[in-house]
Amino acid sequence: MSNKLNLSVSPHIHSKNSTSTIMRDVIIALLPAAVAGVVIFGLRALGVIAVCVAVAVISEYIFNYITKKEQTIGDLSAVVTGLLLALNLPANTPLWQAAIGSIFAIIVVKCLFGGIGCNIVNPAITARVFMLIAFTNLSSAAFPTLVDTVAGATPLAILKDGGLVSIESLVFGTIGGAIGETCKIALVLGGIYLLVRRVITWHIPIIYITTTFIFTFILQDFDILQSLSFTLSGGLILGAFFMATDYVTSPATKWGKVIFAVGAGLLTVVIRTWGSYPEGVSFAILLMNILNPYICSWTPRKLFGGKGK
Amino acid sequence: MASFLHGVKVPHRKNTENMTAVKMPVGKIVSIPTVMHIGAPANVVVKAGDLVKVGTLIAEANGYVSSNIYSSVSGKVLKIEDKLLSNGRVAPSVVIESDGEMTVDEGIKPYEITSKEDLIKALRLSGIVGLGGAGFPTFVKFDTDKAVDELIINGAECEPYITSDSLTMVEKTDYIEYAIQVITKFIDIKRVIIGIEKNKPKAIGKMRQLADRNPIVSIKLLPSIYPQGAEKVLVYHTIGKVIGQGKLPLDVGAIVSNCTTMASIGEFLKTGMPLVEKCVTVDGDAVAKPQNVIVPIGTSVSDVFEFCSGFKKEPKKVLYGGPMMGISVPDMDVPVIKNTNAILAFSEKMAFLPKTTACIRCGRCLNTCPFGINPAGIEKAFKRDDLDAAEKFGVALCMECGCCSFVCPANRPLVQTNKMAKATLLSQKKGK
Ligand code: SF4
Ligand code: SF4
């Protein structure tokens, strides 16, 4: 037989995972929260989501085109970044600001550092923080159009002033906040999906949330209800499942994840309690992103039968 | 034992597991290489025109770590030619034209073993090499004065497709048993453990019976997670001992021998027939009739495929061995050798892997590696020529099992990089 045989190095089979299947799973996992956001905050939320996603994808396309790099939008990571950013913004964000945030996330935080896998900090979070600082008029929350329970203040602000927020509204999300952060049921559903699909492990989300709860519990004089309300408020659940678990900017090993999650939890409470912003999740994750390389170098996996054993 | 080492759930695709092995008729020509083992090529002792029979010595072990080679057919030696082997070495091959008779050499008779020296000598004569993997001459493993606590028989067979070992356990139980009996009689071994992956009920059944008859033998069931059959993994999972970097099983008091190797030893001791044929799994999506075939050593791969009714799809890749660690071959003239356990042919669809994309630092490679090696880290270190860092990430420990590349969503060639980094490290150390 004269046909040519393909020569290649082992292994000759491959798992079905690829970057795009993983990103697809993340998008699927975010959908419940996105839908809930649109239901709670109205069509305006849909506009913000659409703009962020579209601008993210187009920015990456244009960047790759201009710099003559291989096109990477097919891996769907730009969609994830755009979607995550949108879910972190209030529904009343001016669309042009949303667009600038999205461009910042993709171009400055991701592409200029070398594209997927090379960024140091999470693009969506960094863009969120950038917008918070750059657009001072941008509020950190919009309020449900559906029901107006506690108009005018986010749960974290209310709690900080010693008020009460019903657990029910925190769970269902009929409260003020960013588009994707309020409906905890939708977020947990998405989180479970990621766990089942083995896209993420439980370590970071569970430990992050638990640390936040325990630390709050201590600071709140062991008031369970109040601490629970704090834990379910703001962007903690969204951040813990979807942003602190970003592969590129969080540790890969078990113990690395533990340190990362505990650190993020402590920082979140510190910023929430003593910081000038009511919300601490974005800053906390961003700071841990910066520490990530160190955490990784402290927590290698133990070599089996390695030297010096 | 702390816990099981990591690994991957590879697709099993053991399509041939319930078929009996079929003996194929010998082809016209066999081409038997003089290196089918680790060590020096054997010295050819025949010349063109010589008549040989099945079991006639055609090449003699050259030094301690080397191996005898016997004719697998009866017929006439046509020529001795240099051939490029799948491992990249060039060595003489003995080309024999078969007379189709398969007359057995008169010298073939059962061995009378009365001492350890006898046994080692017989094993040395047998030409048997490690049939599970690299082809290390078997007698060397047993030729030791060190205390041996365990003889571990490797029946894990964790590679997809391959079923020849399991089949050997089922069909050649007697030979395995005989080998165990003779070896444990003359070599001081405290216990024998047969490690088998849980997904092989038939082989487990046979080995259980064997263990019931021989109190020295016990069975250890292993999870069906690749790579259970890797030596260090097997030793850890059967007796809980860790073999350090650059160390051998004997350093922890164990000898590991593949189940097919054991069967060959038993067969040789009982009948005197050296290793001249091999049970090979023939499979892959291009093969018309996947099955286990008993093949005379030296038969070309194309003859074997032909015996399996050829191809149903155009073959685009042919492997010696399984898809995780097998070697792809350039053409189908290459022969079946002593340690060939499978030949697989894949069509276009399976011959090419998905495109390589950028590493997304997902940590899958690192968390999957049985040894805790960090392939992503090694890749980056190797790219910037930082071999010290690569060494710290554990590159020297890599057994090239392929788990890391298998799970990498970016499909990075991690195993290949590890191989290159290991080679560079080695040559650097030699240079010093
Ligand atoms: S680094 Fe080596 S030992 Fe580890 S999974 Fe990859 S090939 Fe196997
Ligand atoms: S599995 Fe692949 S993509 Fe993931 S860290 Fe390893 S090399 Fe990078």
PDB file of all heavy atoms in Angstrom, chain B residues 81-106:
ATOM      1  N   GLU B  81      19.977  -7.974   6.523  1.00  0.00           N
ATOM      2  CA  GLU B  81      20.031  -6.580   6.045  1.00  0.00           C
ATOM      3  C   GLU B  81      19.848  -5.601   7.195  1.00  0.00           C
ATOM      4  O   GLU B  81      19.166  -5.897   8.172  1.00  0.00           O
ATOM      5  CB  GLU B  81      18.968  -6.349   4.965  1.00  0.00           C
ATOM      6  CG  GLU B  81      17.550  -6.553   5.474  1.00  0.00           C
ATOM      7  CD  GLU B  81      16.496  -6.230   4.422  1.00  0.00           C
ATOM      8  OE1 GLU B  81      16.855  -5.958   3.268  1.00  0.00           O
ATOM      9  OE2 GLU B  81      15.311  -6.251   4.795  1.00  0.00           O
ATOM     10  N   ASP B  82      20.470  -4.433   7.038  1.00  0.00           N
ATOM     11  CA  ASP B  82      20.297  -3.392   8.046  1.00  0.00           C
ATOM     12  C   ASP B  82      18.937  -2.742   7.875  1.00  0.00           C
ATOM     13  O   ASP B  82      18.538  -2.404   6.769  1.00  0.00           O
ATOM     14  CB  ASP B  82      21.387  -2.326   7.902  1.00  0.00           C
ATOM     15  CG  ASP B  82      22.658  -2.765   8.620  1.00  0.00           C
ATOM     16  OD1 ASP B  82      22.578  -3.740   9.393  1.00  0.00           O
ATOM     17  OD2 ASP B  82      23.707  -2.138   8.397  1.00  0.00           O
ATOM     18  N   LYS B  83      18.250  -2.582   9.001  1.00  0.00           N
ATOM     19  CA  LYS B  83      16.912  -1.997   8.913  1.00  0.00           C
ATOM     20  C   LYS B  83      16.719  -0.962  10.006  1.00  0.00           C
ATOM     21  O   LYS B  83      17.219  -1.121  11.122  1.00  0.00           O
ATOM     22  CB  LYS B  83      15.862  -3.095   9.071  1.00  0.00           C
ATOM     23  CG  LYS B  83      15.241  -3.511   7.754  1.00  0.00           C
ATOM     24  CD  LYS B  83      13.940  -4.234   7.996  1.00  0.00           C
ATOM     25  CE  LYS B  83      13.087  -4.247   6.738  1.00  0.00           C
ATOM     26  NZ  LYS B  83      11.895  -5.070   6.925  1.00  0.00           N
ATOM     27  N   LEU B  84      15.973   0.053   9.653  1.00  0.00           N
ATOM     28  CA  LEU B  84      15.630   1.075  10.641  1.00  0.00           C
ATOM     29  C   LEU B  84      14.449   0.553  11.468  1.00  0.00           C
ATOM     30  O   LEU B  84      13.442   0.123  10.938  1.00  0.00           O
ATOM     31  CB  LEU B  84      15.231   2.369   9.932  1.00  0.00           C
ATOM     32  CG  LEU B  84      14.774   3.503  10.848  1.00  0.00           C
ATOM     33  CD1 LEU B  84      15.934   4.045  11.660  1.00  0.00           C
ATOM     34  CD2 LEU B  84      14.140   4.627  10.043  1.00  0.00           C
ATOM     35  N   LEU B  85      14.623   0.578  12.778  1.00  0.00           N
ATOM     36  CA  LEU B  85      13.560   0.059  13.636  1.00  0.00           C
ATOM     37  C   LEU B  85      12.697   1.196  14.176  1.00  0.00           C
ATOM     38  O   LEU B  85      13.074   2.360  14.113  1.00  0.00           O
ATOM     39  CB  LEU B  85      14.176  -0.736  14.788  1.00  0.00           C
ATOM     40  CG  LEU B  85      15.076  -1.882  14.318  1.00  0.00           C
ATOM     41  CD1 LEU B  85      15.759  -2.529  15.490  1.00  0.00           C
ATOM     42  CD2 LEU B  85      14.251  -2.905  13.545  1.00  0.00           C
ATOM     43  N   SER B  86      11.568   0.795  14.729  1.00  0.00           N
ATOM     44  CA  SER B  86      10.619   1.813  15.171  1.00  0.00           C
ATOM     45  C   SER B  86      11.197   2.675  16.286  1.00  0.00           C
ATOM     46  O   SER B  86      10.772   3.787  16.512  1.00  0.00           O
ATOM     47  CB  SER B  86       9.336   1.152  15.661  1.00  0.00           C
ATOM     48  OG  SER B  86       9.629   0.378  16.809  1.00  0.00           O
ATOM     49  N   ASN B  87      12.187   2.164  17.010  1.00  0.00           N
ATOM     50  CA  ASN B  87      12.762   2.972  18.076  1.00  0.00           C
ATOM     51  C   ASN B  87      13.878   3.872  17.567  1.00  0.00           C
ATOM     52  O   ASN B  87      14.593   4.495  18.333  1.00  0.00           O
ATOM     53  CB  ASN B  87      13.270   2.072  19.200  1.00  0.00           C
ATOM     54  CG  ASN B  87      14.338   1.109  18.712  1.00  0.00           C
ATOM     55  OD1 ASN B  87      14.784   1.184  17.570  1.00  0.00           O
ATOM     56  ND2 ASN B  87      14.748   0.207  19.574  1.00  0.00           N
ATOM     57  N   GLY B  88      14.055   3.906  16.243  1.00  0.00           N
ATOM     58  CA  GLY B  88      15.037   4.811  15.668  1.00  0.00           C
ATOM     59  C   GLY B  88      16.423   4.193  15.518  1.00  0.00           C
ATOM     60  O   GLY B  88      17.324   4.805  14.985  1.00  0.00           O
ATOM     61  N   ARG B  89      16.596   2.960  16.007  1.00  0.00           N
ATOM     62  CA  ARG B  89      17.905   2.329  15.872  1.00  0.00           C
ATOM     63  C   ARG B  89      17.994   1.591  14.546  1.00  0.00           C
ATOM     64  O   ARG B  89      17.010   1.091  14.033  1.00  0.00           O
ATOM     65  CB  ARG B  89      18.122   1.322  17.009  1.00  0.00           C
ATOM     66  CG  ARG B  89      18.461   1.993  18.318  1.00  0.00           C
ATOM     67  CD  ARG B  89      18.347   1.029  19.465  1.00  0.00           C
ATOM     68  NE  ARG B  89      19.490   0.089  19.528  1.00  0.00           N
ATOM     69  CZ  ARG B  89      19.647  -0.745  20.562  1.00  0.00           C
ATOM     70  NH1 ARG B  89      18.781  -0.755  21.554  1.00  0.00           N
ATOM     71  NH2 ARG B  89      20.671  -1.566  20.582  1.00  0.00           N
ATOM     72  N   VAL B  90      19.207   1.530  14.014  1.00  0.00           N
ATOM     73  CA  VAL B  90      19.420   0.728  12.819  1.00  0.00           C
ATOM     74  C   VAL B  90      20.151  -0.533  13.255  1.00  0.00           C
ATOM     75  O   VAL B  90      21.136  -0.456  13.974  1.00  0.00           O
ATOM     76  CB  VAL B  90      20.263   1.492  11.780  1.00  0.00           C
ATOM     77  CG1 VAL B  90      20.545   0.600  10.579  1.00  0.00           C
ATOM     78  CG2 VAL B  90      19.535   2.754  11.341  1.00  0.00           C
ATOM     79  N   ALA B  91      19.634  -1.697  12.863  1.00  0.00           N
ATOM     80  CA  ALA B  91      20.276  -2.941  13.266  1.00  0.00           C
ATOM     81  C   ALA B  91      20.000  -3.996  12.204  1.00  0.00           C
ATOM     82  O   ALA B  91      19.034  -3.898  11.454  1.00  0.00           O
ATOM     83  CB  ALA B  91      19.730  -3.398  14.610  1.00  0.00           C
ATOM     84  N   PRO B  92      20.864  -5.014  12.159  1.00  0.00           N
ATOM     85  CA  PRO B  92      20.641  -6.067  11.168  1.00  0.00           C
ATOM     86  C   PRO B  92      19.355  -6.838  11.450  1.00  0.00           C
ATOM     87  O   PRO B  92      18.980  -7.019  12.612  1.00  0.00           O
ATOM     88  CB  PRO B  92      21.850  -6.997  11.350  1.00  0.00           C
ATOM     89  CG  PRO B  92      22.804  -6.289  12.240  1.00  0.00           C
ATOM     90  CD  PRO B  92      22.062  -5.234  12.968  1.00  0.00           C
ATOM     91  N   SER B  93      18.692  -7.236  10.387  1.00  0.00           N
ATOM     92  CA  SER B  93      17.522  -8.099  10.508  1.00  0.00           C
ATOM     93  C   SER B  93      17.785  -9.358   9.697  1.00  0.00           C
ATOM     94  O   SER B  93      18.438  -9.308   8.656  1.00  0.00           O
ATOM     95  CB  SER B  93      16.282  -7.412   9.948  1.00  0.00           C
ATOM     96  OG  SER B  93      15.830  -6.436  10.836  1.00  0.00           O
ATOM     97  N   VAL B  94      17.284 -10.466  10.195  1.00  0.00           N
ATOM     98  CA  VAL B  94      17.459 -11.723   9.473  1.00  0.00           C
ATOM     99  C   VAL B  94      16.178 -11.985   8.676  1.00  0.00           C
ATOM    100  O   VAL B  94      15.102 -12.108   9.250  1.00  0.00           O
ATOM    101  CB  VAL B  94      17.717 -12.890  10.452  1.00  0.00           C
ATOM    102  CG1 VAL B  94      17.881 -14.198   9.681  1.00  0.00           C
ATOM    103  CG2 VAL B  94      18.940 -12.590  11.312  1.00  0.00           C
ATOM    104  N   VAL B  95      16.333 -12.036   7.353  1.00  0.00           N
ATOM    105  CA  VAL B  95      15.165 -12.243   6.508  1.00  0.00           C
ATOM    106  C   VAL B  95      15.093 -13.722   6.131  1.00  0.00           C
ATOM    107  O   VAL B  95      16.046 -14.284   5.591  1.00  0.00           O
ATOM    108  CB  VAL B  95      15.251 -11.377   5.232  1.00  0.00           C
ATOM    109  CG1 VAL B  95      13.996 -11.543   4.394  1.00  0.00           C
ATOM    110  CG2 VAL B  95      15.456  -9.911   5.618  1.00  0.00           C
ATOM    111  N   ILE B  96      13.960 -14.332   6.466  1.00  0.00           N
ATOM    112  CA  ILE B  96      13.829 -15.769   6.230  1.00  0.00           C
ATOM    113  C   ILE B  96      12.630 -16.034   5.322  1.00  0.00           C
ATOM    114  O   ILE B  96      11.554 -15.468   5.524  1.00  0.00           O
ATOM    115  CB  ILE B  96      13.638 -16.534   7.559  1.00  0.00           C
ATOM    116  CG1 ILE B  96      14.800 -16.222   8.517  1.00  0.00           C
ATOM    117  CG2 ILE B  96      13.521 -18.039   7.323  1.00  0.00           C
ATOM    118  CD1 ILE B  96      14.554 -16.676   9.934  1.00  0.00           C
ATOM    119  N   GLU B  97      12.858 -16.903   4.338  1.00  0.00           N
ATOM    120  CA  GLU B  97      11.755 -17.317   3.473  1.00  0.00           C
ATOM    121  C   GLU B  97      11.172 -18.591   4.064  1.00  0.00           C
ATOM    122  O   GLU B  97      11.884 -19.583   4.247  1.00  0.00           O
ATOM    123  CB  GLU B  97      12.265 -17.564   2.056  1.00  0.00           C
ATOM    124  CG  GLU B  97      11.165 -17.943   1.098  1.00  0.00           C
ATOM    125  CD  GLU B  97      11.735 -18.276  -0.277  1.00  0.00           C
ATOM    126  OE1 GLU B  97      12.804 -18.921  -0.342  1.00  0.00           O
ATOM    127  OE2 GLU B  97      11.115 -17.884  -1.268  1.00  0.00           O
ATOM    128  N   SER B  98       9.890 -18.568   4.329  1.00  0.00           N
ATOM    129  CA  SER B  98       9.275 -19.711   4.992  1.00  0.00           C
ATOM    130  C   SER B  98       8.976 -20.815   3.990  1.00  0.00           C
ATOM    131  O   SER B  98       8.592 -20.555   2.851  1.00  0.00           O
ATOM    132  CB  SER B  98       7.979 -19.265   5.664  1.00  0.00           C
ATOM    133  OG  SER B  98       7.201 -20.389   5.993  1.00  0.00           O
ATOM    134  N   ASP B  99       9.162 -22.064   4.439  1.00  0.00           N
ATOM    135  CA  ASP B  99       8.762 -23.172   3.569  1.00  0.00           C
ATOM    136  C   ASP B  99       7.323 -23.590   3.860  1.00  0.00           C
ATOM    137  O   ASP B  99       6.816 -24.557   3.293  1.00  0.00           O
ATOM    138  CB  ASP B  99       9.719 -24.360   3.730  1.00  0.00           C
ATOM    139  CG  ASP B  99       9.776 -24.866   5.168  1.00  0.00           C
ATOM    140  OD1 ASP B  99       8.885 -24.474   5.972  1.00  0.00           O
ATOM    141  OD2 ASP B  99      10.691 -25.639   5.498  1.00  0.00           O
ATOM    142  N   GLY B 100       6.697 -22.889   4.777  1.00  0.00           N
ATOM    143  CA  GLY B 100       5.298 -23.164   5.087  1.00  0.00           C
ATOM    144  C   GLY B 100       5.072 -24.386   5.948  1.00  0.00           C
ATOM    145  O   GLY B 100       3.960 -24.680   6.355  1.00  0.00           O
ATOM    146  N   GLU B 101       6.141 -25.116   6.275  1.00  0.00           N
ATOM    147  CA  GLU B 101       5.985 -26.366   7.019  1.00  0.00           C
ATOM    148  C   GLU B 101       5.931 -26.159   8.523  1.00  0.00           C
ATOM    149  O   GLU B 101       5.350 -26.960   9.254  1.00  0.00           O
ATOM    150  CB  GLU B 101       7.163 -27.315   6.712  1.00  0.00           C
ATOM    151  CG  GLU B 101       7.321 -27.681   5.243  1.00  0.00           C
ATOM    152  CD  GLU B 101       6.211 -28.610   4.780  1.00  0.00           C
ATOM    153  OE1 GLU B 101       5.731 -29.403   5.610  1.00  0.00           O
ATOM    154  OE2 GLU B 101       5.821 -28.520   3.598  1.00  0.00           O
ATOM    155  N   MET B 102       6.591 -25.132   8.988  1.00  0.00           N
ATOM    156  CA  MET B 102       6.712 -24.848  10.415  1.00  0.00           C
ATOM    157  C   MET B 102       7.297 -26.049  11.164  1.00  0.00           C
ATOM    158  O   MET B 102       6.842 -26.418  12.244  1.00  0.00           O
ATOM    159  CB  MET B 102       5.352 -24.455  11.023  1.00  0.00           C
ATOM    160  CG  MET B 102       4.787 -23.159  10.455  1.00  0.00           C
ATOM    161  SD  MET B 102       5.838 -21.729  10.733  1.00  0.00           S
ATOM    162  CE  MET B 102       5.182 -21.117  12.284  1.00  0.00           C
ATOM    163  N   THR B 103       8.321 -26.657  10.591  1.00  0.00           N
ATOM    164  CA  THR B 103       8.996 -27.771  11.255  1.00  0.00           C
ATOM    165  C   THR B 103       9.732 -27.244  12.482  1.00  0.00           C
ATOM    166  O   THR B 103      10.401 -26.221  12.426  1.00  0.00           O
ATOM    167  CB  THR B 103      10.039 -28.405  10.302  1.00  0.00           C
ATOM    168  OG1 THR B 103       9.487 -28.400   8.994  1.00  0.00           O
ATOM    169  CG2 THR B 103      10.405 -29.800  10.751  1.00  0.00           C
ATOM    170  N   VAL B 104       9.588 -27.984  13.568  1.00  0.00           N
ATOM    171  CA  VAL B 104      10.193 -27.524  14.812  1.00  0.00           C
ATOM    172  C   VAL B 104      11.615 -28.059  14.943  1.00  0.00           C
ATOM    173  O   VAL B 104      11.901 -29.207  14.597  1.00  0.00           O
ATOM    174  CB  VAL B 104       9.326 -27.979  16.009  1.00  0.00           C
ATOM    175  CG1 VAL B 104      10.016 -27.668  17.335  1.00  0.00           C
ATOM    176  CG2 VAL B 104       7.960 -27.307  15.940  1.00  0.00           C
ATOM    177  N   ASP B 105      12.501 -27.213  15.425  1.00  0.00           N
ATOM    178  CA  ASP B 105      13.899 -27.584  15.633  1.00  0.00           C
ATOM    179  C   ASP B 105      14.006 -28.770  16.591  1.00  0.00           C
ATOM    180  O   ASP B 105      13.301 -28.837  17.601  1.00  0.00           O
ATOM    181  CB  ASP B 105      14.643 -26.373  16.210  1.00  0.00           C
ATOM    182  CG  ASP B 105      16.142 -26.525  16.129  1.00  0.00           C
ATOM    183  OD1 ASP B 105      16.704 -27.328  16.909  1.00  0.00           O
ATOM    184  OD2 ASP B 105      16.750 -25.831  15.284  1.00  0.00           O
ATOM    185  N   GLU B 106      14.919 -29.715  16.285  1.00  0.00           N
ATOM    186  CA  GLU B 106      15.047 -30.927  17.113  1.00  0.00           C
ATOM    187  C   GLU B 106      15.517 -30.600  18.523  1.00  0.00           C
ATOM    188  O   GLU B 106      15.273 -31.345  19.459  1.00  0.00           O
ATOM    189  CB  GLU B 106      16.054 -31.916  16.497  1.00  0.00           C
ATOM    190  CG  GLU B 106      15.704 -32.424  15.110  1.00  0.00           C
ATOM    191  CD  GLU B 106      16.038 -31.419  14.023  1.00  0.00           C
ATOM    192  OE1 GLU B 106      16.928 -30.566  14.241  1.00  0.00           O
ATOM    193  OE2 GLU B 106      15.384 -31.453  12.952  1.00  0.00           O
TER     194      GLU B 106
END
